[in-house]
Amino acid sequence: MPEVTIDDSADDDANSVSSPSLPWLWEAGPTADAIYDITKSDLMLNRREAVKVLAITAGLPLVDPVQRWLAHPPPVPSPSGYSGRIGLDEVAQLEQAANVFRTWDDQHGGGLARKAVIGQLNEVADLLRDSHPHEVGVRLFHVMAQLSKIAATMSWDCGMQTAAQKYYVMSLQASTPGQDKPFGASVLASMARQLLYLDQPQDALELIRLALDGVRSTATPRLRAMLHTREAWSYAKMGRPESFKRATGNAEEAFSEIGSRDPDPDWIAYFDAAELAGVTGGRYLELAHHDNRFAGDALDHIRQAVALRQRSSMRSLALDQVGLAYAHLISGDLDEAVTVGSAAADTAGQVQSDRVRVQLREFYLEIETRRDPVVAPLQQHIRETLAR
């Protein structure tokens, strides 16, 4: 694993807190220009060099600039002498392409398609350097926001944490002129999830609170449920089980209301019953590491997630299976931990995801401490999977 460092230094001037590594731009034109330049550079990037040392921004340099997302969005520039190269039909095709990339990411992880997404993102940013009719411009910014978020997730799957955070920030900024606060809230949730993986739960909680504030009157029940699971995750990381249970209850209550309001957009459709069960079970598992009384709850929820999970969602299924194997291990059922762990290694071998590799490696290190002959074949299986 490459070294991950956290930059949480605060600027002396509270009104100008920022990080030199993140492009804090909120106006439509400069946002498009910045994304065009960054993606152009990224397409020429040597990934081996990019993953050696990773610096992640956290603390005030991250949280304070993000608060500008709550402000009213700046207008998309009106055309002064129309020079746009595309119309609404072409925009619809770009929207469909973003959906295809999102599906690919969910099914296979991001390793194989990352540069294809960045190339498409670069093209959309280039289009936005022209002037367009208002509807075309707004929809192009929304496509750019979606592609930036997909690029962020794929960068993470490649182990490129710095690039992932940068693309999340660009997605949040593109969603602002795209006039889509709910999508921006989903980006904040993804940024929070990255911070949670890097053991920064307080910052993650701050971002989720901003997200909830920003969409209090506009979020669908499915989006609210997802945001509350991120809130619960933050509390679990902090070792606050009662707050975790309260936030989990809020997520389950919101999820029960799905269907009572407007239909959900495609980008939140992934958050289904399997995802709710898997995320909740994973958090119970974190609590069980410190108090094995939570192991039973972890087993119940993760079993449900595995049963409900669509087999096409390979990355999520792999994470569920690793978590279930870990829960069996904590519960003292070594034989079942080996059986499920072997299935997890099989699934992990079919995806390109740094998150899955990290989880599988952590499970390997845990079973290594058992020094029981029954785990030896599983250890060999996992070593071969990680080597591939």
Side-chain angles (χ1 to χ4, degrees):
M1 274 292 291
E3 177 187 355
V4 178
T5 61
I6 306 293
D7 175 13
D8 59 359
S9 57
D11 196 302
D12 291 336
D13 181 356
N15 293 320
S16 62
V17 173
S18 65
S19 165
S21 63
L22 295 177
W24 293 116
L25 302 166
W26 298 96
E27 298 296 325
T31 295
D33 288 340
I35 292 178
Y36 175 80
D37 291 338
I38 289 170
T39 51
K40 185 177 179 181
S41 298
D42 200 349
L43 288 169
M44 297 182 287
L45 183 68
N46 182 329
R47 185 164 70 87
R48 292 180 180 85
E49 293 298 317
V51 298
K52 284 185 178 178
V53 179
L54 306 172
I56 299 298
T57 301
L60 286 178
L62 176 67
V63 176
D64 271 19
V66 165
Q67 294 187 60
R68 290 195 60 187
W69 171 77
L70 289 171
H72 293 297
V76 175
S78 299
S80 55
Y82 172 59
S83 62
R85 289 167 270 168
I86 64 171
L88 291 175
D89 288 345
E90 290 83 1
V91 174
Q93 292 173 18
L94 290 170
E95 291 168 342
Q96 182 58 35
N99 289 335
V100 170
F101 281 128
R102 187 185 304 108
T103 300
W104 177 277
D105 178 47
D106 181 46
Q107 292 178 349
H108 306 289
L112 298 177
R114 177 180 177 272
K115 285 209 170 181
V117 172
I118 292 170
Q120 186 70 79
L121 177 58
N122 178 264
E123 176 63 22
V124 174
D126 190 33
L127 289 170
L128 277 165
R129 301 168 89 190
D130 295 336
S131 57
H132 299 276
H134 180 74
E135 183 179 358
V136 171
V138 168
R139 287 174 63 177
L140 279 175
F141 268 103
H142 186 57
V143 171
M144 190 161 68
Q146 291 193 58
L147 289 171
S148 295
K149 186 182 178 188
I150 296 166
T153 304
M154 289 184 168
S155 296
W156 186 352
D157 273 343
C158 292
M160 302 168 68
Q161 295 284 3
T162 307
Q165 188 180 56
K166 187 174 292 185
Y167 279 115
Y168 280 136
V169 167
M170 291 191 293
S171 177
L172 183 67
Q173 293 170 155
S175 74
T176 303
Q179 300 175 5
D180 194 342
K181 269 286 196 289
F183 184 79
S186 79
V187 177
L188 286 174
S190 295
M191 294 172 69
R193 180 179 59 188
Q194 184 186 25
L195 290 170
L196 287 164
Y197 268 92
L198 298 174
D199 293 321
Q200 299 291 313
Q202 186 60 54
D203 290 340
L205 184 60
E206 290 293 331
L207 294 186
I208 291 302
R209 285 172 174 166
L210 283 171
L212 287 167
D213 285 345
V215 296
R216 198 167 298 279
S217 61
T218 58
T220 64
R222 194 183 301 272
L223 177 57
R224 283 193 290 112
M226 185 273 286
L227 293 174
H228 282 303
T229 61
R230 296 287 197 273
E231 180 187 21
W233 192 339
S234 303
Y235 288 130
K237 274 284 190 184
M238 295 176 186
R240 297 170 57 182
E242 295 308 314
S243 297
F244 159 75
K245 290 178 182 178
R246 184 179 67 252
T248 296
N250 290 336
E252 292 170 344
E253 180 181 357
F255 194 82
S256 71
E257 298 172 8
I258 291 175
S260 62
R261 292 180 56 175
D262 294 336
D264 289 292
D266 290 341
W267 49 260
I268 192 62
Y270 79 93
F271 193 83
D272 55 11
E275 186 69 12
L276 175 62
V279 173
T280 302
R283 308 299 67 80
Y284 272 117
L285 183 59
E286 288 187 9
L287 292 171
H289 285 306
H290 307 288
D291 185 344
N292 62 12
R293 290 177 298 176
F294 293 105
D297 292 307
L299 278 170
D300 291 343
H301 283 85
I302 304 175
R303 276 199 194 106
Q304 182 183 8
V306 172
L308 294 173
R309 186 75 72 183
Q310 294 185 21
R311 279 351 191 216
S312 59
S313 299
M314 300 295 289
R315 179 178 55 208
S316 296
L317 178 61
L319 292 170
D320 290 339
Q321 290 174 325
V322 175
L324 184 58
Y326 223 136
H328 281 301
L329 199 63
I330 293 174
S331 299
D333 191 343
L334 190 57
D335 289 337
E336 194 63 21
V338 169
T339 299
V340 178
S342 182
D346 287 339
T347 307
Q350 301 177 58
V351 296
Q352 294 281 330
S353 173
D354 190 60
R355 272 178 283 169
V356 172
R357 286 192 294 271
V358 168
Q359 297 286 86
L360 190 62
R361 187 182 297 111
E362 290 177 353
F363 176 67
Y364 174 86
L365 294 174
E366 184 63 30
I367 62 172
E368 197 174 35
T369 65
R370 303 298 162 130
R371 303 188 184 282
D372 190 308
V374 74
V375 305
L378 176 58
Q379 287 178 291
Q380 179 62 27
H381 191 177
I382 294 176
R383 282 197 296 268
E384 291 172 355
T385 299
L386 293 174
R388 290 197 300 271

